[in-house]
């Protein structure tokens, strides 16, 4: 087996960190702004480019030469036998994630040159996105839960900074605080899961934990669920998944993701489509030896993923902001990945993670190109006919849309149909509901995707009908002076073209080794006797071409076709019908417009309850018990005792003599009584 160099692997995350430090320290006002914009973006892009090249070399050695690396780089400290280490585990799963993160990040870095060219925070933005790349690489390359948690929290921190990048906007500050707080809820469960693993295994190293997994399966936990003791692996699995629910935006911890669109478009692609939100999916796949021991945890994952896949897709139908439609699409697709995890099809979940990273980053960046061309109007109701003005953006957006809806031969088809097949073959009780949800989600996805496509790129031009039209957002004006959209510069369109290539072909090229080969064999563990979904899927798989040809006779294809045709008819042929349908279904539309009232529930029930508990602990605990009952009571008791003592200590000698005589008499009486 080929070995990998520790120094080369160490350079992968450090290269973008150096670029981030250079842009952040030397390129901002805080550091004296010693280097200008050109050097800031050049150094950060160079760092990510180096990281991508090294990641590609690593992937080649892992895929072709069977290379593997699991080694501690630095031992931080030891607490009672529990080692705190920095180390790397590089196998098929890690190598794939390294390439996805660095390639998408590289495209976003180049794209940002054009998108943020007039923004005063240009250098700071490059520092942030490069720092994010470092954090994500530390997460996916870790060989232990401590380093995983470091990367987990680091991407959360940088996400907070990027969502609120335009900090002069109150909505951006609200959005980044919302993301921060919701993720703290998920992280609470995540920490509990890590703590339980550390307590019962005595280690944080992945492989050492997995070696002790059979022992964990035999331990009952002193929590009672429906009158029965829960198994330890079930509690651990659910706690870890709660962390994934926050980071990967699963219902009901999904509420932060749509609002995160307040940040600049490049970070929407980098953080909320391609990398950060998939951290939870990656973590569950990495911990597959634990999840395989608990059907209860897998059923829980199936239900949560199915709800997210279907009901978040419904919300995409009524959105008018082009970025928010893509954001709800991300939510829905993350639900698909989660469903695959619940069906023990971990390799399929990771496969969809990879394909989705390319075509969703493409869609976000293409949407950003449209926003640039439309002089920063984001409302699709006031677009139309953009195709003839922005041909490169149009064709790349169309390719991304076709991949998203699962068009045969496109990358999204192979991963999405594989999820549907795996859930169909699953024998878990929740798989029936999950199968219905992912199947119905195919129609929903195609409908809202082509709704955006037709309203933006086809039909009548509606640029001058926008009652809230505003130009020159953060410095971008209509340079041509004609009010028409114009194609974006090459630094925007080149990343679109480069992302379009894997969005079309990567699924066809990689489905065989990733799902049915040995590429992920060292990364993922499946007990086929208990969870036969992938084994049954393998029996009917006869190659990527045969799968694509067979798709034309399957329900997902016709559901996707029906969704696309419905969007075409409603928004191109009979554009007056959507308003009539919305009026007829007004109660449902109101529920969707209010996002199932989840924000209201969070703010007025959950947050109010949390505040009430806090006020109760403050007034009842802090003031009532601690201040009044302990601190104040103690000095009051001392004061009362002192007042009594002061009366006894008079200073007169005959008083003391009298007390001494009384004492002697008391002792004599006591001894006489005792002698009897």
């Amino acid at each position: 087996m080929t070995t990998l160099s520790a120094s080369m692997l160490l350079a992968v995350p450090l290269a973008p960190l150096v670029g981030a430090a250079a842009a952040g320290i030397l390129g901002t006002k805080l550091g004296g702004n010693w280097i200008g914009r050109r050097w800031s973006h050049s150094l950060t892009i160079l760092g990510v480019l180096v990281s991508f090249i090294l990641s590609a070399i690593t992937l080649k050695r892992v895929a072709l030469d069977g290379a593997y690396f699991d080694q501690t780089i630095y031992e931080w400290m030891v607490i009672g036998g529990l080692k705190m280490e920095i180390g790397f585990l590089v196998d098929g799963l890690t190598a794939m994630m390294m390439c996805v993160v660095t390639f998408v990040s590289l495209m976003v870095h180049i794209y940002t040159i054009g998108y943020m060219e007039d923004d005063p925070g240009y250098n700071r933005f490059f520092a942030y996105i490069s720092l994010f790349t470092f954090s994500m690489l530390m997460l996916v390359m870790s060989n232990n839960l401590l380093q995983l948690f470091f990367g987990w929290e680091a991407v959360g921190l940088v996400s907070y900074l990027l969502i609120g990048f335009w900090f002069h906007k109150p909505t951006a500050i609200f959005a980044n605080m919302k993301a921060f707080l919701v993720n703290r809820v998920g992280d609470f469960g995540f920490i509990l899961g890590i703590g339980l693993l550390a307590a019962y295994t005595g280690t944080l190293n992945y492989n050492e934990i997995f070696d002790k997994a059979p022992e964990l399966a035999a331990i009952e936990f002193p929590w009672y669920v429906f009158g029965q003791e829960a198994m330890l692996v079930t509690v651990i699995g659910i706690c870890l998944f709660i962390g994934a629910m926050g980071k990967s935006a699963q219902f009901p911890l999904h509420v932060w993701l749509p609002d995160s669109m307040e940040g600049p478009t490049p970070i929407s692609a980098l953080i909320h489509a391609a990398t950060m939100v998939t951290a939870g999916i990656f973590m569950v796949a990495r911990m597959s030896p634990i999840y395989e021991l608990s059907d209860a945890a897998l059923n829980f994952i199936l239900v949560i993923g199915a709800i997210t896949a279907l009901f978040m897709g419904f919300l995409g139908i009524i959105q008018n902001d082009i970025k928010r439609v893509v954001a709800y699409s991300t939510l829905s697709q993350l639900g698909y990945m989660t469903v695959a995890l619940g069906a023990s099809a971990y390799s399929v979940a990771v496969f969809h993670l990879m394909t989705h990273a390319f075509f969703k980053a493409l869609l976000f960046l293409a949407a950003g190109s449209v926003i640039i061309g439309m002089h920063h109007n984001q409302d699709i109701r006031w677009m139309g006919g953009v195709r003839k003005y922005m041909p490169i953006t149009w064709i790349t957006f169309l390719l991304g849309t076709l991949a998203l809806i699962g068009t045969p031969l496109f990358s999204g088809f192979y991963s999405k149909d594989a999820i549907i097949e795996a859930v169909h073959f699953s024998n878990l009780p929740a798989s029936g509901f999950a199968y219905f949800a992912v199947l119905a989600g195919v129609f929903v996805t195609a409908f809202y995707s082509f709704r955006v496509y037709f309203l933006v790129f086809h039909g009548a031009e509606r640029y001058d009908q926008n009652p809230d039209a505003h130009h020159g957002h953060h410095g971008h004006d209509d340079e041509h002076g004609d009010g028409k959209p114009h194609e974006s510069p090459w630094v925007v369109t080149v990343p679109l073209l480069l992302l379009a290539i894997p969005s079309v072909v990567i699924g066809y090229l990689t489905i065989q080794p990733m799902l049915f080969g040995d590429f992920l064999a060292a990364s993922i563990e499946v007990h086929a006797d208990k969870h036969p979904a992938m084994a049954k899927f393998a029996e009917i798989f006869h190659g990527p071409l045969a799968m694509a040809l067979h798709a034309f006779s399957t329900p997902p294809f016709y559901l996707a076709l029906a969704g696309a045709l419905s969007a075409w008819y409603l928004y191109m042929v009979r554009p007056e019908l959507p308003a009539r349908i919305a009026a007829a279904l007004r109660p449902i539309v109101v529920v969707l417009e209010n996002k199932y009232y989840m924000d209201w529930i969070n703010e007025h029930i959950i947050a109010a309850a949390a505040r009430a508990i806090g006020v109760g602990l403050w007034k009842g605990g802090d003031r009532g018990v601690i201040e009044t009952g302990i601190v104040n009571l103690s000095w009051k008791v001392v004061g009362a005792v002192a007042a009594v003592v002061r009366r006894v200590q008079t200073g007169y000698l005959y008083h003391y003599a009298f007390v001494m005589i009384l004492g002697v008499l008391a002792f004599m009486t006591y001894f006489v009584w005792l002698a009897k």
Side-chain angles (χ1 to χ4, degrees), residues 224-236:
Y224 286 87
V225 180
F226 301 116
Q228 295 183 341
E229 279 193 317
M231 300 303 295
L232 176 63
V233 289
T234 299
V235 177
I236 291 173

Side-chain angles (χ1 to χ4, degrees), residues 76-126:
W76 178 29
M77 62 178 169
V78 179
I79 302 177
L82 189 66
K83 295 181 180 180
M84 308 291 184
E85 300 172 329
I86 297 173
F88 296 144
L89 169 62
V90 179
D91 52 14
L93 177 58
T94 301
M96 181 276 294
M97 289 295 296
M98 289 165 61
C99 279
V100 169
V101 170
T102 53
F103 178 75
V104 172
S105 178
L106 180 61
M107 296 300 102
V108 170
H109 274 70
I110 297 171
Y111 177 95
T112 300
I113 297 174
Y115 192 88
M116 302 290 288
E117 62 177 344
D118 297 323
D119 196 282
Y122 187 88
N123 294 357
R124 177 166 57 93
F125 189 84
F126 273 97

Side-chain angles (χ1 to χ4, degrees), residues 604-673:
H604 294 87
I605 297 179
I606 297 177
R611 283 195 298 268
I613 293 172
V615 170
L617 292 173
W618 164 45
K619 292 186 175 181
D622 188 21
R623 284 191 170 182
V625 176
I626 297 175
E627 289 186 16
T628 304
I630 298 176
V631 177
N632 292 338
L633 182 61
S634 63
W635 70 257
K636 287 179 180 179
V637 170
V638 170
V641 172
V644 173
V645 171
R646 279 199 303 270
R647 294 183 180 275
V648 175
Q649 300 292 333
T650 62
Y652 294 112
L653 183 61
Y654 58 86
H655 284 171
Y656 300 148
F658 178 70
V659 171
M660 292 173 64
I661 292 170
L662 290 178
V664 171
L665 290 174
F667 271 108
M668 290 176 63
T669 303
Y670 173 75
F671 284 116
V672 170
W673 181 264

Side-chain angles (χ1 to χ4, degrees), residues 440-477:
V442 173
F443 174 86
V444 175
T445 302
F447 182 80
Y448 67 65
S449 298
F450 271 94
R451 171 179 176 264
V452 171
Y453 172 74
F454 288 127
L455 286 176
V456 173
F457 294 100
H458 295 274
E461 298 176 7
R462 301 179 295 278
Y463 318 135
D464 300 328
Q465 302 175 27
N466 185 0
D468 301 317
H470 61 282
H471 303 291
H473 180 68
H474 75 290
H476 287 274
D477 293 303

Side-chain angles (χ1 to χ4, degrees), residues 301-468:
I301 294 172
L302 266 176
V303 171
I304 294 297
I307 293 172
T308 306
L310 181 58
F311 289 93
M312 296 304 107
F314 287 146
L315 294 180
I317 296 175
I318 54 97
Q319 300 298 316
N320 295 314
D321 185 311
I322 187 171
K323 284 174 63 177
R324 285 184 179 267
V325 177
V326 184
Y328 279 108
S329 167
T330 298
L331 280 170
S332 180
Q333 295 308 303
L334 288 168
Y336 273 84
M337 298 176 208
T338 303
V339 165
L341 294 172
S344 290
Y346 307 99
S347 57
V348 178
V350 171
F351 183 45
H352 194 50
L353 182 160
M354 178 190 69
T355 62
H356 174 265
F358 295 119
F359 64 72
K360 187 54 61 67
L362 172 61
L363 285 172
F364 262 118
L365 297 186
S369 180
V370 171
I371 293 169
I372 294 172
M374 294 298 300
H375 319 301
H376 287 267
N377 164 43
Q378 297 182 194
D379 196 323
I380 60 177
R381 293 172 296 181
W382 316 119
M383 297 185 185
V386 174
R387 171 189 173 186
K388 60 184 176 183
Y389 300 109
M390 306 180 71
I392 298 177
T393 302
W394 160 68
I395 191 63
T396 52
F397 192 95
L398 177 59
L399 292 174
T401 300
L402 292 173
L404 171 62
I405 70 169
T407 306
L409 292 175
F410 282 73
S411 62
F413 156 74
Y414 289 103
S415 54
K416 181 181 282 188
D417 272 38
I419 291 173
I420 295 172
E421 289 294 334
V423 176
H424 176 66
F425 288 126
S426 175
N427 59 358
L428 294 174
S431 61
F433 168 64
Y435 181 68
F436 164 77
V438 295
L439 205 56
V442 173
F443 174 86
V444 175
T445 302
F447 182 80
Y448 67 65
S449 298
F450 271 94
R451 171 179 176 264
V452 171
Y453 172 74
F454 288 127
L455 286 176
V456 173
F457 294 100
H458 295 274
E461 298 176 7
R462 301 179 295 278
Y463 318 135
D464 300 328
Q465 302 175 27
N466 185 0
D468 301 317

